[in-house]
Amino acid sequence: LLSIIVNPLLFAWLDRPEAREPANRAPEPEEHISPPIRPGLSNHVIEIGYGRVGSELTRLLTEGGDEIVVIDDEEDLVNKARAAGLPAIRGNAANERVLREAAPERATMVMVAIPNALEAGEIIAKLREINPALTIVARAHSDIEVKHLLEHGADAAVLAERELAHSLAEMVMATPQYRGERHLPPVAPA
């Protein structure tokens, strides 16, 4: 009986220094943007989501000379963006503090490439409050999502399946059987 009574008190006494240790420890420093955003950066593009769609889009934009700042909440995707030399912020862009780290007040465009339309709508609404002049393009998976994103302030919402169909149609129309005089409409007499 004595050990049953003493054991909880003994363990509580032994645990006290460990309980105090985290309180005495300095807080972990916040993760900084890496590589850092260039001082005075403006007229840049913010890429929200660096998955398959976002990383390819970013590649195309950087080849065109655009400066990009990436926001993603997945550590491996942030590390991938950083390895490509892009300033990348780890966090959820729906959090205004995270969003503001990308300097949206000085940006010209935001590409929202995350697959979650509800979260994207929330991000777009916050971006509109911060900088109403931004051009915002978002990714959608249905006509309902397109409508939702446009209602929240996106300038355009791209429906992936529709764009794929247009690209495929362009490729088909460029094949030899669709080219040539025999497939052109007759010229109207002058």
Side-chain angles (χ1 to χ4, degrees):
L1 269 171
L2 187 58
S3 70
I4 292 173
I5 293 171
V6 173
N7 271 343
L9 297 174
L10 182 62
F11 283 113
W13 179 74
L14 290 172
D15 285 341
R16 286 190 82 193
E18 291 175 8
R20 274 188 244 128
E21 189 177 318
N24 294 337
R25 213 180 292 159
E28 293 286 325
E30 284 190 35
E31 184 177 73
H32 295 286
I33 302 168
S34 176
I37 292 177
R38 178 175 60 76
L41 176 67
S42 62
N43 300 321
H44 58 288
V45 177
I46 299 172
E47 176 66 46
I48 300 174
Y50 197 71
R52 291 182 303 179
V53 173
S55 60
E56 180 63 14
L57 179 58
T58 300
R59 184 186 67 78
L60 294 170
L61 292 173
T62 54
E63 284 177 3
D66 291 302
E67 288 189 83
I68 312 288
V69 176
V70 172
I71 300 175
D72 202 297
D73 59 0
E74 291 187 31
E75 186 173 1
D76 60 327
L77 295 176
V78 169
N79 290 338
K80 182 180 171 186
R82 290 175 178 169
L86 299 167
I89 301 162
R90 183 169 180 238
N92 187 327
N95 178 332
E96 190 171 334
R97 183 188 61 76
V98 171
L99 195 58
R100 285 190 179 273
E101 288 182 39
E105 66 281 357
R106 297 190 314 265
T108 55
M109 181 176 286
V110 178
M111 309 301 290
V112 184
I114 60 173
N116 183 330
L118 294 176
E119 186 177 334
E122 183 181 340
I123 293 166
I124 291 165
K126 286 180 182 172
L127 286 165
R128 280 284 169 239
E129 289 175 14
I130 296 169
N131 183 351
L134 279 171
T135 299
I136 303 173
V137 179
R139 167 187 181 183
H141 293 287
S142 69
D143 288 326
I144 292 170
E145 288 184 2
V146 168
K147 182 180 178 189
H148 173 77
L149 295 168
L150 294 174
E151 287 173 349
H152 280 78
D155 293 298
V158 178
L159 183 58
E161 291 80 5
R162 187 174 298 138
E163 293 305 315
L164 176 60
H166 286 275
S167 291
L168 289 171
E170 282 181 23
M171 288 178 189
V172 168
M173 299 303 281
T175 59
Q177 67 187 30
Y178 287 96
R179 290 183 287 181
E181 286 184 18
R182 64 186 179 100
H183 295 288
L184 295 175
V187 178

